Amino acid sequence: MQKYINPPKQDWEGLLQRPPVDVSGLFDSVATVLDDIAREGDTAIVRYSEKFDGYAGTNLVVSPEEFDIAEKQIPSELKQAIQRAAYNIDSFHKAQWQTAVKVETEPGVTCWQKSVPIEKVGLYIPGGTAPLFSTVLMLGIPARIAGCEEIVMCTPPGKTGIVNPAILYAAKTAGIKKVFKVGGIQAIGAMAYGTQTVPKVYKIFGPGNRYVTAAKQLITIRGTAIDMPAGPSEVLVMADDSANPAFVAADLLSQAEHGADSQVILLTNSPELLDATMAEIDKQVRQLPREAGASSALSNSKAFLLPSVDVMMEMSNHYAPEHLILSVRNAGQLAERVRNAGSVFIGHYSPESAGDYASGTNHTLPTHGCARAYSGVNLSSFLKKISFQEITGEGLKSLGPVIEKMAEAEELLGHKQAVSIRLEHLKS
Amino acid sequence: MQKYINPPKQDWEGLLQRPPVDVSGLFDSVATVLDDIAREGDTAIVRYSEKFDGYAGTNLVVSPEEFDIAEKQIPSELKQAIQRAAYNIDSFHKAQWQTAVKVETEPGVTCWQKSVPIEKVGLYIPGGTAPLFSTVLMLGIPARIAGCEEIVMCTPPGKTGIVNPAILYAAKTAGIKKVFKVGGIQAIGAMAYGTQTVPKVYKIFGPGNRYVTAAKQLITIRGTAIDMPAGPSEVLVMADDSANPAFVAADLLSQAEHGADSQVILLTNSPELLDATMAEIDKQVRQLPREAGASSALSNSKAFLLPSVDVMMEMSNHYAPEHLILSVRNAGQLAERVRNAGSVFIGHYSPESAGDYASGTNHTLPTHGCARAYSGVNLSSFLKKISFQEITGEGLKSLGPVIEKMAEAEELLGHKQAVSIRLEHLKS
């Protein structure tokens, strides 16, 4: 980690720069694949799955038998852990339901908003080195609570055509029945356009590599919604002299193990904590199976010694971290001053891993500074709000002239007429 | 309008097809302008404003004097109308505040979400044939209620360098002080990148032409959030024999007057209402100053005679209209079955114009079928939700083993270690 001692504010922007995540260079090649999928459907899926992923099978559907086999393969301790995490995620997301409030803005003019589920949603669960079954829970459970009628999940089956059993068990736990053996660009294309086998959806969720990100950006432009822009994962830890350096080091390493792209930032006002944390990192990193990736991430990472907790909070809000850990005194009070962050972990016993898996909060969060404008995935990500208004004859008599006057000033006389013709009728 | 009598369901998709809104063909030329703005700032703004809009001035800022002059130019009746609309928009959007609910998902594990304003937002108000000051209220008022610290507005000044007074008066009413004389791609670029004069923002709102839409799509890919994809405006009217054909015709025409791109759809189960509405349209269209545009929109528009209100609702949900008018018996009950729509107008005295201007609901709504997955602009468009979790030592003792088990199964031992190291400490 590179150390910086109280850099002047004008340097913050440069020091906190993230590596650019521009995948537009991939657009041409990704668009070709998407166009082929839109035109050919399953045929293109099968062709590209063989080419990109080495899966030569034509069977794209996970069968009920495969779910059963997967369930039998999962040790009961892991099952219980998944069930308990699912329960907490369920509790937290269920509490996010809002009731519609009817507002009578004027006598006879009643307006309200109603949250309605997005009917068809698609969840993408990447493959790769580890089976990220926790993401299945994080996307599938709120989709089910929202009441989405059709929940489609795609995940790459590897060369063998077998989906990781923990992923299938998590899908079953979340109530997802339609799982397809399709990965990468093909998965995004299949769910955006629909094929003979994979249903078309209206919004696609989930993480992925650069190709998946490029495909998600392209389908947004073409009319399918996505959860949020994706980038490498990141954590910012704020620690003062009340923090335990071993905990802080472990938190930084838990993010660094995601590999070279990850961003790890430490802010502290204690020189002793800084030195002790550095020493702990050196010690702990050697115990990690993913030591190489973690070391590589750490070499790009930064530790700042700052004059006060106030300045630390200011820098954190400037950076807008995906994960923010507050390992400081009065962390609860300090949390109220967070302006830009995805998910905040308060106090010495709230590691990021808790939110990654089991506390109940969602782990699909805005990265790369997107926390300035985007929320993480939550129940409302699976809903849209529809406005309603109901106006009585009396209400229109009162409000109508206001509408007429404004429509006239905007030179939209058809808009005015729709009111005038009713007011005439009400007079007669 | 083209008439269709009870078409079979398999034809719906084709019959309800909207014209494609693909602006990706403009990306190369728009990207050049954006890149120049990112590099040169105001210099590029001034150069392109002269080239595209014929405004050769270098003054990009609306001065306090210009606000004062504008206010004096507005007739008091229009001022009162704007104030009353603003009051209703304010009431409805204020009622959308949610309070954070803390959930103890397990003993010692407390999670909550908090809505926090997006600090810097940009509002784009197009110029063109009519001064759309109502959009200033629709975007500015919820931004102010949300508590956005910096609200920036851009609007083209025409060749004269003078912004329409109603737009400035609406801006003042909404509490917007920073208004810039910048239009089109330049406005989007200026707010996305920031220039010497125009502040950079995190999210950009507002309608615009194809170039503005292309610019908004490109800056989304580059890291600035936008409100939603934009397309031509549209209305779907459901009417039964309780409807007044003159009202229905006026509602259809109020949308058609937006011009050839607009989409106008009528669904009815009454042949008499259909014929009478057609006759009314022929009569009323001739009274409109925008007759040519309205006639052109009508020639692309469709009227469907369907067997029942149930089928009408099914077709409407399939189409996912931006505006949906329910001119039917028991419209209030029927409204509960709306699954896909931007804003719904219930009963015979709720014309679309009411929501366009003054009922209190927002008129920035999802078009082109986006209502399947997107909400219209509302208070939450100017907020993001941050998750928080606070775990006690006892809470982690209980939940920790679940996290350890899951992290281990995902082969993320750094994640596990962040818990294990704390559990060790708690034992000692």
Side-chain angles (χ1 to χ4, degrees), chain A residues 415, chain B residues 16-19 21 229-237 251-252 254-256 258-259 261-266 297 301 316 318-325 340-343 345 352 356 363 365-372:
Chain A
H415 285 61
Chain B
L16 294 171
Q17 206 73 48
R18 295 157 168 103
V21 201
S233 194
E234 57 199 28
V235 70
L236 186 149
V237 181
D251 289 338
L252 294 169
S254 77
Q255 187 60 52
H258 283 303
D261 282 346
S262 288
Q263 294 275 313
V264 176
I265 309 263
L266 171 64
S301 294
S316 175
H318 184 91
Y319 180 71
E322 179 192 13
H323 303 100
L324 169 60
I325 301 179
N340 297 315
S343 195
F345 300 81
E352 186 203 308
D356 288 339
H363 79 194
L365 296 166
T367 55
H368 212 263
C370 286
R372 296 184 191 106

Side-chain angles (χ1 to χ4, degrees), chain A residues 27 77-78 81 84-85 88 91-92 95-96 98 103 105-106 109 111-114 116-119 129-134 137 149 202 217 220-221 225 244 246-247 250-251 254 257-258 284 287-290 335-336 338-346 348-351 353-359 361 371-376 378 380 384-393 396 398-399 402-403 405-407 409-415 417-419 421-422 425-426, chain B residues 27 77-78 81 84-85 88 91-92 95-96 98 103 105-106 109 111-114 116-119 129-134 137 149 202 217 220-221 225 244 246-247 250-251 254 257-258 284 287-290 335-336 338-346 348-351 353-359 361 371-376 378 380 384-393 396 398-399 402-403 405-407 409-415 417-419 421-422 425-426:
Chain A
F27 279 0
E77 265 199 320
L78 179 57
R84 189 141 150 218
N88 289 346
S91 305
F92 183 57
Q96 293 168 23
Q98 302 163 240
V103 182
T105 53
E106 303 206 357
V109 182
C111 305
W112 66 98
Q113 266 193 332
K114 185 176 154 190
V116 175
I118 299 173
E119 288 177 289
T129 50
L132 299 182
F133 57 85
S134 57
L137 304 179
E149 277 172 40
Y202 302 145
Q217 290 184 350
T220 313
I221 291 168
N244 182 325
F247 297 2
D251 289 339
S254 77
E257 77 173 336
H258 283 303
Q284 291 184 29
Q287 297 155 15
L288 288 181
R290 292 172 182 248
E336 290 173 23
V338 174
R339 311 288 295 172
N340 298 314
S343 195
V344 183
F345 301 81
I346 299 172
H348 302 308
Y349 292 102
S350 305
S353 333
D356 289 339
Y357 290 111
S359 64
T361 60
R372 295 182 192 108
Y374 291 87
S375 313
N378 60 83
S380 72
K384 72 261 179 180
K385 288 173 182 152
I386 302 179
S387 302
F388 294 84
Q389 51 242 286
E390 186 161 20
I391 305 178
T392 63
L396 195 67
S398 165
L399 187 61
V402 170
I403 303 166
K405 183 54 69 183
M406 290 176 76
E410 286 196 354
E411 300 167 24
L412 292 171
L413 296 190
H415 285 61
Q417 179 64 7
V419 172
I421 206 163
R422 285 171 165 92
H425 183 86
L426 285 166
Chain B
F27 279 1
E77 264 199 321
L78 180 56
R84 189 141 150 220
N88 290 347
S91 305
F92 182 57
Q96 293 167 22
Q98 302 163 241
V103 182
T105 52
E106 302 206 356
V109 181
C111 304
W112 66 98
Q113 265 194 331
K114 185 177 154 191
V116 175
I118 299 173
E119 288 177 290
T129 51
L132 299 182
F133 58 84
S134 57
L137 303 178
E149 279 172 38
Y202 302 145
Q217 290 185 350
T220 313
I221 291 169
N244 183 324
F247 298 1
D251 289 338
S254 77
E257 77 172 336
H258 283 303
Q284 292 183 28
Q287 297 155 14
L288 287 182
R290 293 173 182 249
E336 290 173 22
V338 175
R339 311 288 295 170
N340 297 315
S343 195
V344 183
F345 300 81
I346 300 172
H348 302 309
Y349 292 102
S350 307
S353 333
D356 288 339
Y357 291 111
S359 65
T361 59
R372 296 184 191 106
Y374 291 87
S375 312
N378 61 81
S380 70
K384 72 260 178 180
K385 288 174 183 151
I386 303 178
S387 302
F388 293 84
Q389 52 243 284
E390 186 162 21
I391 305 175
T392 62
L396 195 66
S398 165
L399 187 60
V402 170
I403 303 166
K405 182 56 65 187
M406 291 175 77
E410 286 197 354
E411 300 166 24
L412 292 170
L413 296 190
H415 285 60
Q417 178 64 6
V419 171
I421 206 165
R422 285 170 164 95
H425 182 87
L426 285 166

Side-chain angles (χ1 to χ4, degrees), chain A residues 59-352:
Chain A
N59 174 27
L60 305 179
V61 185
V62 174
S63 68
E65 293 70 35
E66 288 176 284
F67 275 102
D68 292 343
I69 294 167
E71 186 163 355
K72 284 180 193 132
Q73 288 175 321
I74 306 287
S76 69
E77 265 199 320
L78 179 57
K79 274 187 196 167
Q80 285 162 22
I82 289 175
Q83 291 296 336
R84 189 141 150 218
Y87 179 86
N88 289 346
I89 296 165
D90 188 77
S91 305
F92 183 57
H93 288 79
K94 257 187 195 147
Q96 293 168 23
W97 264 114
Q98 302 163 240
T99 45
V101 182
K102 289 201 180 188
V103 182
E104 197 169 7
T105 53
E106 303 206 357
V109 182
T110 307
C111 305
W112 66 98
Q113 266 193 332
K114 185 176 154 190
S115 290
V116 175
I118 299 173
E119 288 177 289
K120 300 161 192 260
V121 296
L123 317 181
Y124 182 63
I125 307 298
T129 50
L132 299 182
F133 57 85
S134 57
T135 303
V136 179
L137 304 179
M138 294 293 176
L139 301 178
I141 291 172
R144 192 197 58 212
I145 296 170
C148 302
E149 277 172 40
E150 183 149 49
I151 305 173
V152 174
M153 184 176 126
C154 284
T155 191
K159 294 182 186 181
T160 56
I162 296 172
V163 175
N164 181 285
I167 286 184
L168 291 186
Y169 181 72
K172 190 180 168 185
T173 303
I176 302 168
K177 293 184 185 79
K178 295 184 182 175
V179 179
F180 300 94
K181 302 175 179 184
V182 184
I185 309 169
Q186 304 96 274
I188 306 304
M191 295 190 283
Y193 298 116
T195 71
Q196 296 82 342
T197 306
V198 183
K200 174 186 166 70
V201 303
Y202 302 145
K203 188 170 183 180
I204 295 177
F205 297 76
N209 62 18
R210 300 169 65 232
Y211 294 93
V212 169
T213 300
K216 282 175 71 183
Q217 290 184 350
L218 282 172
I219 57 124
T220 313
I221 291 168
R222 297 170 178 198
T224 306
I226 63 168
D227 49 356
M228 72 185 83
S233 193
E234 57 200 26
V235 70
L236 186 148
V237 181
M238 287 178 47
D240 63 13
D241 60 6
S242 76
N244 182 325
F247 297 2
V248 175
D251 289 339
L252 294 170
L253 284 168
S254 77
Q255 187 59 53
E257 77 173 336
H258 283 303
D261 282 345
S262 288
Q263 293 276 312
V264 176
I265 308 264
L266 171 63
L267 310 186
T268 183
N269 57 352
S270 159
E272 295 76 22
L273 184 279
L274 181 56
D275 290 341
T277 302
M278 294 293 198
E280 272 290 334
I281 287 175
D282 285 343
K283 195 174 102 190
Q284 291 184 29
V285 72
R286 274 176 261 138
Q287 297 155 15
L288 288 181
R290 292 172 182 248
E291 183 187 347
S295 298
S296 159
L298 287 171
S299 67
N300 301 320
S301 294
K302 289 168 177 143
F304 293 90
L305 182 63
L306 297 172
S308 68
V309 171
D310 286 349
V311 178
M312 285 151 63
M313 182 50 78
E314 199 181 338
M315 188 183 258
S316 174
N317 280 330
H318 184 91
Y319 181 71
E322 181 192 14
H323 303 98
L324 169 60
I325 301 179
L326 301 178
S327 287
V328 293
R329 271 187 210 88
N330 303 319
Q333 273 181 291
L334 194 68
E336 290 173 23
R337 288 160 51 197
V338 174
R339 311 288 295 172
N340 298 314
S343 195
V344 183
F345 301 81
I346 299 172
H348 302 308
Y349 292 102
S350 305
E352 187 203 307

